[in-house]
């Protein structure tokens, strides 16, 4: 069998602000692969079906000198992230041809085909609920796990608590909104367009507003004080949430989209309120909490998603050639719902 | 018996920056008291011996519109704080003439004599160790309790941890340095003069530096990364400590002296590192933790102080007429050790 195209998306240049397709992130079709004969050396050949586009990818596009949670992307090499793939050939006895595998820790390169050797962070998904594969990088993947683990570990909610969620239309935020509502709490949610606000209301938020047209400060002054703030944004929004926090409030610091694409992030000036209000800020990454909470997540969430008890919104982009634009759109907030690239059906 | 003078220190005006004696804080000798005949109405007449001067007093000199941990000082009324007093007359069966009482929750007004009705936060101290009374507002009072409770609750230290303490010559910081050294940890400590640095070294800090003449950033870059930062300062020091924090670092946010006397506090710009390094910031007030840890504190700390295992430094000011200046000196960092006003011997 002749070789076929193995298109890929390369990390080409470190951006100073926003990552531009064609410049910092480049689509490349120069490679081919012989699917029948390429040596696997004990590994597994997969065809990539879905790749995840997440805000944190920007944090991986930094120099090697930046102290990071994991090594940043390598210049000249494909971008890497969570994804779902189908197995074409396997020399690993635990994994069979036709299996669907989900990469957990940025396992899959942005290419059409890949050979995987490290299975410590890849799992085979049976998907008995017949949920679309893209959902396994969304509410049933890293973002859903992030919401579930952070909430389970840090929320410490009590009856009557008021919760504020920023970035509430994204896959993490929307899941948090629904976890909070499932506990009967009052949920205030912000998002960046009227469409997103309508979605956030439809999944249960008691108060939802477009932060671009409505003052966060006025909403929180009226609807607070906050017992819990789930922060996907950082900067001025975090400062305002702290200002309207109640005594003993918890802030779960999950994302900081306001700071990813600038060299001069907003400085938060009211941190002395952490003392007077006895506020705790928890920064976290989902994989640290996975060993503790993964069993509960995988036991309960697929069923909740299948039954519609937990709802989600996807922003689907078709074709690897559009991945660079999808990455930029997420940084600029133009996606509506979890951004996924469908590489192959 | 004729009436005697009952001098006091009045909160006269809300400061915009530093609280100035004679302007915002005024010494007043216009009042008298008849110690024999003043009606007690079931209360206790005390002679104030020692009053505590603390950084947080500045936070009490704000308008009534500021949402605070407790109501701010009342204009025209005496400043109120921790202190030690001796009982002159008592109509409370639990308290006898000659008892020494310690006010726990800002119980004592800044006056020579006071009548106390609420004994929920006053305790009689036997002082079997014969420790100077002033120490009961220092390392055996609120500051020592603050250090002990915050450390016990939040430090979660492991063998080999590196701890940074700012404001390390103050009564809270110095106690934290000694608690950390008692656990065998490496302690980096900063203070605002060479004298203070020498003291901090003498109580065990492995690395101590004068932040006014040595770059905090250079010291932390060389001696870190930090697993634990005890923050008495806030602002730029907090930002630098976050920058040089290790994965899963804990920051105990105890004081924010850099922000108390300014309308434009420093904005901390690198809070996204809370996520990538999975850092937790704990703001706290000691009285919330008292129910949990007070028994351990009062069982162990007087003995450790009496034996010299825990050392302290005091900055003693004599006479209520000098309290206003003492308050300003603490805000400007001119005290060296725990600031106390000895009202009467």
């Amino acid at each position: 069998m002749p070789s076929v195209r193995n298109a890929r998306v390369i990390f080409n240049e470190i951006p100073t602000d926003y990552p531009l397709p064609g410049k910092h992130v480049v689509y490349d079709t120069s490679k081919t692969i012989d699917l029948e004969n390429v040596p696997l050396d004990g590994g597994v050949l997969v065809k990539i079906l879905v790749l995840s586009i997440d805000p944190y990818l920007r944090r991986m596009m930094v120099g090697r000198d930046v102290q990071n949670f994991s090594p940043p992307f390598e210049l000249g090499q494909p971008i890497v992230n969570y994804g779902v793939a189908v197995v074409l050939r396997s020399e690993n006895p635990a994994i069979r041809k036709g299996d669907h595998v989900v990469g957990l820790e940025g396992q899959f390169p942005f290419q059409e085909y890949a050979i995987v050797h490290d299975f410590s962070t890849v799992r085979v998904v049976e998907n008995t609920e017949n949920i679309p594969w893209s959902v396994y990088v969304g509410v049933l993947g890293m973002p859903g796990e992030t919401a579930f683990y952070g909430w389970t570990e840090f929320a410490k909610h009590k009856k009557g608590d008021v919760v504020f969620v920023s970035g509430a239309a994204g896959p993490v935020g929307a899941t948090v909104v629904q976890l909070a509502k499932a506990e009967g709490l009052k949920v205030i949610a912000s998002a960046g367009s009227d469409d997103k606000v309508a979605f956030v209301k439809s999944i249960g938020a008691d108060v939802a507003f477009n932060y671009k047209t409505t003052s966060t400060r006025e909403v929180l002054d009226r609807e607070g004080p906050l017992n819990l703030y789930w922060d996907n944004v950082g900067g001025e929004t975090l400062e305002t949430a702290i200002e309207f926090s109640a005594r003993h409030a918890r802030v779960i610091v999950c994302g900081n989209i306001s700071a990813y694409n600038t060299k001069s992030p907003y400085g938060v000036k009211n941190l002395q309120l952490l003392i007077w209000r006895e506020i705790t800020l928890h920064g976290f990454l989902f994989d640290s909490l996975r060993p503790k909470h993964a069993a509960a997540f995988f036991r309960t969430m697929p069923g909740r998603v299948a039954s519609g008890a937990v709802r989600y919104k996807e922003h689907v982009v078709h074709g690897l050639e559009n991945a660079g634009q999808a990455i930029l759109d997420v940084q600029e907030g133009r996606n509506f719902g979890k951004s996924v690239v469908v590489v192959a059906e």
Side-chain angles (χ1 to χ4, degrees), chain A:
Chain A
M1 188 179 174
S3 290
V4 297
R5 184 189 74 178
N6 192 8
R8 45 189 205 146
V9 177
I10 301 292
F11 178 40
N12 189 60
E13 189 184 321
I14 298 173
T16 50
D17 42 60
Y18 284 96
L20 304 179
K23 180 173 166 65
H24 308 103
V25 173
V26 170
Y27 179 65
D28 168 66
T29 58
S30 65
K31 298 280 186 188
T32 60
I33 186 169
D34 180 343
L35 298 174
E36 297 292 331
N37 301 306
V38 60
L40 302 186
D41 300 324
V44 171
L45 174 65
V46 300
K47 178 181 183 179
I48 308 282
L49 302 180
V50 175
L51 288 166
S52 178
I53 307 293
D54 299 293
Y56 91 95
L57 294 184
R58 177 63 182 82
R59 180 67 188 179
M60 305 294 281
M61 300 182 191
V62 293
R64 297 251 143 192
D65 56 311
V66 176
Q67 208 195 341
N68 214 355
F69 53 100
S70 59
F73 295 144
E74 207 169 321
L75 282 167
Q77 293 299 315
I79 282 175
V80 171
N81 201 14
Y82 312 99
V84 180
V86 61
V87 175
L88 300 183
R89 288 165 51 208
S90 173
E91 292 180 357
N92 180 319
I95 298 189
R96 291 163 309 180
K97 180 177 172 178
D99 279 351
H100 283 79
V101 290
V102 176
L104 296 177
E105 304 268 351
Q107 191 66 36
F108 294 138
F110 273 46
Q111 354 185 107
E112 292 175 288
Y113 303 94
I115 297 166
V116 181
H117 289 282
D118 176 8
F119 283 87
S120 60
T121 58
V122 168
R123 69 187 184 97
V124 175
V125 175
E126 303 237 346
N127 194 9
T128 48
E129 298 87 355
N130 243 326
I131 295 165
W133 288 113
S134 57
V135 177
Y136 281 90
V137 297
V139 65
L140 293 181
M142 182 275 279
E145 288 180 76
T146 299
F148 186 92
Y149 301 160
W151 179 265
T152 307
E153 181 76 12
F154 300 120
K156 299 193 181 77
H157 49 82
K158 291 179 296 293
K159 195 163 179 283
D161 272 1
V162 176
V163 183
F164 173 42
V165 182
S166 60
V172 176
T175 306
V176 171
V177 166
Q178 294 174 86
L179 292 172
K181 284 312 302 175
E183 302 289 344
L185 309 179
K186 172 175 170 178
V187 175
I188 307 166
S190 66
S193 75
D194 292 346
D195 279 0
K196 292 179 182 178
V197 167
F199 167 65
V200 171
K201 276 187 180 150
S202 78
I203 57 171
D206 300 282
V207 179
F209 65 99
N210 179 345
Y211 71 89
K212 292 179 180 169
T213 55
T214 301
S215 153
T216 300
R217 139 181 296 282
E218 277 170 27
V219 174
L220 298 188
D221 193 16
R222 190 176 62 235
E223 304 290 344
L226 310 173
N227 305 103
L228 190 49
Y229 170 44
W230 186 288
D231 186 23
N232 289 315
V233 171
E236 202 167 353
T237 309
L238 173 58
E239 185 176 87
T240 307
I242 289 172
E243 182 178 348
F244 294 102
S245 280
R247 191 85 173 257
H248 296 292
R250 289 82 62 201
V251 178
I252 303 177
V253 186
C254 178
N256 211 313
I257 190 73
S258 71
Y260 295 163
N261 297 283
T262 173
K263 283 231 176 282
S264 43
Y266 184 87
V268 174
K269 291 180 285 296
N270 63 353
L271 293 177
Q272 69 160 296
L273 290 179
L274 300 193
I275 306 168
W276 313 129
R277 308 260 179 85
E278 306 195 74
I279 298 169
T280 298
L281 267 63
H282 296 284
F284 82 105
L285 294 168
F286 86 111
D287 41 353
S288 290
L289 297 174
R290 171 179 277 149
K292 196 167 167 187
H293 302 299
F297 178 84
F298 290 112
R299 190 175 61 240
T300 59
M301 286 294 275
R304 289 170 84 173
V305 170
S307 74
V310 170
R311 294 163 63 194
Y312 61 92
K313 184 110 191 149
E314 285 184 336
H315 183 96
V316 179
V317 173
H318 292 273
L320 201 52
E321 66 275 22
N322 297 312
Q325 184 64 43
I327 289 171
L328 177 61
D329 286 347
V330 163
Q331 295 301 319
E332 298 193 321
R334 274 193 301 271
N335 61 311
F336 176 12
K338 172 69 187 103
S339 180
V340 293
V341 174
V342 173
V343 182
E345 301 294 341

